[in-house]
Amino acid sequence: MDLNFNSKKVNMQGSRKVWFVFFTLSLLSILEVYSASSNMSYASGQFWRPMTMHSIYVVLSIVVAYLVHRLPTSIVKILLVAFYIPSILLLLLAMLHGPQINGAGRWLEFGGFSFQPSEIVKLTLLGAISFLFSAGFEKKKGSINVGWYYAAVVTTLIPVLLILKENLSTAVIIVLVVLLLTSIAKPPRRHYWGLCLFLLVFVLGGYAGMKNMPHSLVNKIDEMGLHRTSTWVNRLQEVDTLPANPYEFPVYDNLQKTHSRIAIATSGVLGRGLGHSVERDFLPQAYSDFIYAIVIEELGLLPAFLVMILYLILLYSCIQIADDCKTRYARFLVMGLGLMITTQAMVNMAVATGAMPVTGQPLPLMSKGGSSMVVTGVYIGVILGVSRSIKNRKEKQELEQTNAIEK
């Protein structure tokens, strides 16, 4: 099969760099998920099931990305805006009637499969925000209108408040990405920086409050319905102190943090080798939230650093695509999607390396998880679709110039 991206046989158009990052991370994820889930597959007796299921989702994400990248941006715009409200309803349904998995009601089950509505909400929210920013942009002032700006704030606030109760880290990432995207839209400075200051005070106040909150108060808040409060407080109040006697280290107090650090500390520059992880047998969620620690342990520090670079290449590609966009909607959407993928990836890596408190964020395009993998495939497809339309427009302009010169 001809692998030329410009070949009509393959018919894969759009940014080559985005395709390269997409395929590289997807292939690596199959190998690492199989290695990281070996203890789970051994215990169940189904040795190939984790990799088989993950491979199916990887292939599905590639198919989804291909199909989406063939859609016109105008169709994508209609679909994302139209599905914003339904995605919010799915989020409410998960909160009220979804199963509790790992102590949080983030999931919905349908036909034997489970998915997180928050993954869909992140996508539709970026579509809605991009629409509001593009619709409210004033050419004379070179920024968005105040009314449209606050409409975007309310549009963001609705899902964030719903997600906050069950998934604090996802809510924080959404707010951060929307703030970054808003800065690109050049909102009224006084209103924007006022909101940033309010959020900063709110976050610092919440952090200080939970850091010093007595457990008696935590229990009361849990009983009132905010059952994730104890989890947040415990993660923030963990103190990294090393005992004088290393044999007294509390290994079993926090298995995720402890064994992820052991995995990194024993990796070396070249790692243990692909498939030779030791900590996968002790590290909970080794194939999901902490897969980056397994990547470091098996491949070493330099390849793990290159994985981080791949995400930055993806973001840089999104910046280049956004600069060439003809419409403001496409520009905001591509930047929002690039920021969402990269921010989530950096948060996951920071958690795996101990730079941040433990959260439940998967590593995009690598962690085991069907809904995350498929929705990220939609992200990639939209980005590629916009870059495809840009290339087609440039080729058409070049052809018209050539014909004009010949005449």
Side-chain angles (χ1 to χ4, degrees):
M1 184 176 74
D2 190 352
L3 295 178
N4 187 343
F5 284 101
N6 294 322
S7 171
K8 294 182 179 179
K9 295 180 181 179
V10 178
N11 207 22
M12 288 182 174
Q13 301 178 15
S15 171
R16 296 187 182 186
K17 286 183 286 188
V18 175
W19 278 117
F20 172 75
V21 171
F22 184 34
F23 281 126
T24 302
L25 291 176
S26 297
L27 177 60
L28 182 60
S29 75
I30 294 175
L31 300 175
E32 288 298 335
V33 165
Y34 174 69
S35 176
S37 59
S38 62
N39 61 333
M40 179 181 66
S41 58
Y42 178 79
S44 64
Q46 298 175 321
F47 301 104
W48 294 100
R49 180 174 173 78
M51 188 178 76
T52 302
M53 291 302 298
H54 183 69
S55 299
I56 291 173
Y57 284 123
V58 168
V59 172
L60 183 58
S61 71
I62 293 173
V63 172
V64 167
Y66 174 79
L67 294 175
V68 172
H69 106 290
R70 303 294 299 173
L71 293 175
T73 306
S74 57
I75 300 298
V76 172
K77 178 180 180 179
I78 294 172
L79 290 174
L80 292 183
V81 174
F83 276 97
Y84 170 74
I85 298 298
S87 67
I88 298 295
L89 296 178
L90 287 175
L91 192 61
L92 275 170
L93 188 62
M95 290 178 57
L96 297 175
H97 302 289
Q100 291 282 325
I101 300 177
N102 294 328
R106 308 172 184 172
W107 302 81
L108 279 178
E109 292 183 344
F110 179 78
F113 295 93
S114 58
F115 67 96
Q116 294 192 63
S118 60
E119 294 294 331
I120 302 174
V121 167
K122 288 190 293 186
L123 175 62
T124 59
L125 174 62
L126 289 175
I129 292 296
S130 300
F131 169 74
L132 292 173
F133 283 170
S134 59
F137 195 87
E138 296 181 312
K139 292 183 179 180
K140 294 181 179 180
K141 295 183 178 180
S143 63
I144 56 173
N145 181 275
V146 175
W148 288 92
Y149 166 69
Y150 280 107
V153 171
V154 173
T155 302
T156 304
L157 193 62
I158 294 171
V160 165
L161 290 177
L162 293 175
I163 294 173
L164 185 66
K165 179 176 178 291
E166 300 292 341
N167 197 337
L168 175 62
S169 57
T170 296
V172 171
I173 288 175
I174 289 175
V175 171
L176 179 60
V177 169
V178 172
L179 280 176
L180 292 173
L181 189 60
T182 306
S183 66
I184 299 173
K186 298 179 181 179
R189 292 184 179 180
R190 180 167 59 88
H191 299 269
Y192 177 71
W193 289 114
L195 178 62
C196 289
L197 180 61
F198 170 79
L199 290 174
L200 180 62
V201 172
F202 179 80
V203 170
L204 292 178
Y207 175 83
M210 286 190 288
K211 190 76 173 176
N212 301 284
M213 186 177 294
H215 288 284
S216 58
L217 180 57
V218 173
N219 295 332
K220 290 181 180 180
I221 296 176
D222 277 347
E223 293 173 358
M224 292 171 59
L226 295 175
H227 61 95
R228 297 285 295 172
T229 306
S230 57
T231 302
W232 304 336
V233 171
N234 289 336
R235 288 173 178 175
L236 289 176
Q237 291 185 354
E238 288 174 356
V239 181
D240 293 330
T241 55
L242 296 176
N245 183 356
Y247 291 100
E248 296 177 355
F249 186 85
V251 175
Y252 298 102
D253 285 356
N254 192 323
L255 294 176
Q256 291 178 324
K257 180 182 290 188
T258 299
H259 288 287
S260 65
R261 292 184 178 182
I262 293 175
I264 295 171
T266 57
S267 64
V269 177
L270 301 178
R272 295 180 180 272
L274 191 63
H276 291 83
S277 171
V278 174
E279 296 308 313
R280 65 191 175 193
D281 296 326
F282 307 98
L283 180 60
Q285 303 295 323
Y287 48 82
S288 181
D289 299 348
F290 283 84
I291 195 170
Y292 191 62
I294 304 301
V295 171
I296 297 175
E297 182 187 15
E298 292 191 346
L299 302 182
L301 297 175
L302 181 58
F305 177 73
L306 293 178
V307 170
M308 184 190 302
I309 295 298
L310 286 174
Y311 288 101
L312 296 178
I313 291 174
L314 178 62
L315 179 60
Y316 179 71
S317 300
C318 290
I319 294 173
Q320 289 183 313
I321 294 169
D323 285 340
D324 290 333
C325 284
K326 188 176 181 180
T327 64
R328 293 188 181 88
Y329 177 81
R331 183 181 301 122
F332 291 135
L333 183 59
V334 168
M335 281 305 305
L337 295 174
L339 286 169
M340 186 66 76
I341 295 174
T342 309
T343 303
Q344 184 174 324
M346 294 304 155
V347 169
N348 177 279
M349 294 176 187
V351 170
T353 54
M356 284 182 60
V358 176
T359 65
Q361 291 299 318
L363 185 58
L365 297 175
M366 287 201 65
S367 293
K368 181 177 179 293
S371 57
S372 174
M373 183 66 69
V374 173
V375 173
T376 307
V378 178
Y379 283 38
I380 297 296
V382 173
I383 295 169
L384 288 168
V386 174
S387 67
R388 178 183 64 85
S389 64
I390 292 172
K391 284 190 174 183
N392 290 343
R393 188 184 77 239
K394 289 183 176 180
E395 289 175 359
K396 184 179 179 180
Q397 290 175 348
E398 291 175 359
L399 182 60
E400 291 176 349
Q401 291 176 356
T402 302
N403 292 336
I405 293 173
E406 291 177 352
K407 292 180 180 179

